[in-house]
Amino acid sequence: MTDGPTYGFDTLQIHAGARPDPATGARQTPIYQTTGYVFRDADHAAALFNLQEVGFIYSRLTNPTIAVLQERIATLEGGVGGVCCSSGHAAQIMALFPLMGPGKNIVASTRLYGGTVTQFSHTIKRFGWSCTFVDFDDLDAVKAAINDDTRAVFGEAIANPGGYIMDVRAIADIADEAGIPLIVDNTTATPYLCRPIDLGATLVVHSTTKYLTGNGTVTGGCVVDSGKFDWSANDKFPSFSQPEPAYHGLKFHETFGNLAFTFHGIAIGLRDLGMTMNPQAAHYTLMGTETLSLRMDRHVENAAKLAEWLEKDERVDYVTYAGLKSSPYYERAAKVCPKGAGGLFTFAVKGGYDACVKLVNALEIFSHVANLGDTRSLIIHAASTTHRQLSAEQQEAAGAGASVVRVSIGTEDADDLIADLDQALSKASS
Ligand SMILES: *Cc1c(COP(=O)(O)O)cnc(C)c1O
């Protein structure tokens, strides 16, 4: 199918990137379970290796099943190209890799997935990179944190675990003024609820492990490029603007224009870092994307029902869902993610740590799991698991205090989920 701008989201999530298999006519995208591809002749091989012709060489770089997924996610996000990776964390490194260098830094929101906080505060230092964390609700603080060595601004559209909403447009304007890209992690919102590129983001990263696959089967990630950033406007991004010695002095931006980031991601990033998605994972994720909007509508509907029910319950202290009128993010959510504030939120249980532990033990439909974005409802008590090593103050700052549980609301019957929470809350408060 040719992806015209006239097609709606529900059509694109099924068809974008896919076409009947040229060899067999197979309607569903085959799993191309192959590492290598036979060259037509020696000239064809040389042209592929010189990036003069686009084609398949070796599955660390490109694979037809993964190519469909890349095009599909990029289309749903409104970008020009995508690079799939082995996990969401791999996608984050792949996004930063061509932008950064020793001594360079990023400015990131304090409200991020816990694993991202660790990756940015410790692991990237080994590359000579660093990260300054700031409260993205304080725009002056974001501006003040950017210096001459800053190469990107990074935040989550709907931040895990609290469901905080980022003012993507305002942060994008700040990045723009500084001549650097804004990278948005759109994992918890998905392109159905939020389109960061429309709001000014340059790059979008995903953990496809979550809602895009949607059933907790495979890990994966993707970086989508808006194609809108001028990599040659200043001298900050030599990976794109300057000659690349590993390709005989080719300049990516000059040669590939608005596809510079995508080509670099495949020809350098995947080639040399090797954080490649496998074709089986791409298949599962392609299956997931076909029903994305249907699932997200139900996730949002159920999350809203449960959040409202919990907010009124005496055994509950507070609920942090941005879809609740009582949330300080309610109005911003309507602008940033007009189709709903997602399926993820936290709530605090009266009775603190012990009550939370009893609650997760007593639930029958909800699983106690360190994952999110599954059709199944999931719950985690961060203070006794993912945030166990942190001090009480650090736990509070992360929105993961001792009395707080995070839920990822699934697509089951809302009434069954409410009944499950009701019986477990009774056990927790007895
Ligand atoms: C899970 C997650 C990640 C990391 O993705 P993996 O696929 O687990 O590597 C990054 N950001 C957010 C918001 C996530 O939920």
Side-chain angles (χ1 to χ4, degrees):
M1 141 173 183
T2 50
D3 314 326
T6 48
Y7 293 119
F9 193 95
D10 292 349
T11 306
L12 292 173
Q13 71 184 358
I14 296 168
H15 293 286
R19 47 196 70 80
D21 180 47
T24 63
R27 175 61 274 195
Q28 190 48 277
T29 300
I31 304 166
Y32 284 91
Q33 197 68 62
T34 182
T35 42
Y37 307 85
V38 180
F39 306 119
R40 287 196 302 273
D41 53 35
D43 286 345
H44 176 222
L48 289 173
F49 274 89
N50 271 345
L51 299 184
Q52 286 156 337
E53 192 177 327
V54 177
F56 299 102
I57 299 176
Y58 183 62
S59 282
R60 176 160 25 85
L61 290 88
T62 47
N63 171 282
T65 312
I66 295 163
V68 174
L69 181 62
Q70 283 169 174
E71 191 176 333
R72 182 162 306 166
I73 298 174
T75 304
L76 295 178
E77 286 287 0
V80 294
V83 183
C84 280
C85 308
S86 50
S87 72
H89 269 8
Q92 290 170 193
I93 295 296
M94 285 282 291
L96 293 174
F97 178 63
L99 314 179
M100 302 291 281
K104 306 305 177 209
N105 70 73
I106 56 172
V107 169
S109 168
T110 45
R111 292 173 184 137
L112 296 175
Y113 174 71
T116 305
V117 175
T118 308
Q119 188 184 55
F120 288 176
S121 33
H122 302 291
T123 308
I124 65 170
K125 285 191 183 151
R126 303 200 173 204
F127 307 140
W129 311 348
S130 63
C131 176
T132 309
F133 292 96
V134 284
D135 178 354
F136 271 27
D137 284 342
D138 184 347
L139 299 179
D140 290 333
V142 177
K143 270 182 220 163
I146 295 173
N147 61 31
D148 286 346
D149 287 324
T150 306
R151 291 294 176 270
V153 177
F154 187 103
E156 294 177 10
I158 302 179
N160 179 1
Y164 306 99
I165 309 289
M166 168 181 171
D167 188 342
V168 180
R169 172 73 69 189
I171 301 287
D173 287 346
I174 293 172
D176 228 29
E177 220 167 280
I180 54 176
L182 168 64
I183 305 172
V184 173
D185 181 339
N186 203 28
T187 299
T188 53
T190 82
Y192 180 64
L193 299 181
C194 175
R195 298 243 305 181
I197 289 173
D198 292 347
L199 299 171
T202 294
L203 301 175
V204 175
V205 292
H206 274 284
S207 166
T208 59
T209 314
K210 314 291 170 51
Y211 292 104
L212 290 181
T213 304
N215 47 32
T217 44
V218 287
T219 61
C222 188
V223 191
V224 174
D225 179 21
S226 64
K228 290 181 181 159
F229 195 84
D230 183 356
W231 303 109
S232 306
N234 53 43
D235 58 6
K236 289 182 173 169
F237 304 102
S239 295
F240 301 122
S241 61
Q242 297 305 310
E244 171 56 53
Y247 280 107
H248 312 300
L250 174 142
K251 292 183 184 172
F252 273 84
H253 193 204
E254 191 182 278
T255 308
F256 299 112
N258 70 349
L259 284 168
F261 184 93
T262 307
F263 270 85
H264 193 280
I266 292 167
I268 307 267
L270 290 180
R271 187 196 64 181
D272 296 347
L273 300 178
M275 302 189 218
T276 309
M277 182 181 270
N278 68 73
Q280 282 282 345
H283 167 73
Y284 284 116
T285 305
L286 279 168
M287 296 301 96
T289 59
E290 293 189 352
T291 57
L292 180 65
S293 65
L294 312 178
R295 288 182 288 107
M296 293 316 292
D297 276 338
R298 177 64 81 90
H299 282 297
V300 166
E301 187 188 321
N302 279 358
K305 276 187 197 160
L306 268 76
E308 277 164 29
W309 181 83
L310 284 163
E311 192 178 39
K312 289 193 201 109
D313 196 281
E314 288 179 344
R315 298 161 292 187
V316 171
D317 232 350
Y318 61 84
V319 182
T320 64
Y321 188 52
L324 287 172
K325 290 213 177 71
S326 59
S327 165
Y329 292 99
Y330 182 75
E331 273 163 37
R332 189 183 291 170
K335 278 195 296 176
V336 175
C337 35
K339 292 205 187 82
L344 193 72
F345 61 86
T346 60
F347 63 92
V349 184
K350 285 180 187 158
Y353 189 99
D354 292 342
C356 288
V357 170
K358 280 192 207 161
L359 174 80
V360 293
N361 283 339
L363 283 162
E364 281 168 13
I365 299 175
F366 281 81
S367 307
H368 189 200
V369 161
N371 188 23
L372 60 95
D374 197 324
T375 45
R376 274 153 278 272
S377 289
L378 312 174
I379 188 163
I380 192 150
H381 180 226
S384 63
T385 57
T386 52
H387 292 62
R388 198 182 175 85
Q389 319 302 342
L390 305 189
S391 68
E393 281 134 45
Q394 286 175 313
Q395 288 175 352
E396 286 296 338
S403 64
V404 174
V405 289
R406 182 193 76 193
V407 281
S408 170
I409 304 300
T411 58
E412 302 98 332
D413 285 290
D415 289 345
D416 291 340
L417 298 177
I418 288 174
D420 194 26
L421 281 171
D422 192 23
Q423 64 82 18
L425 280 167
S426 295
K427 288 185 185 135
S429 55
S430 67

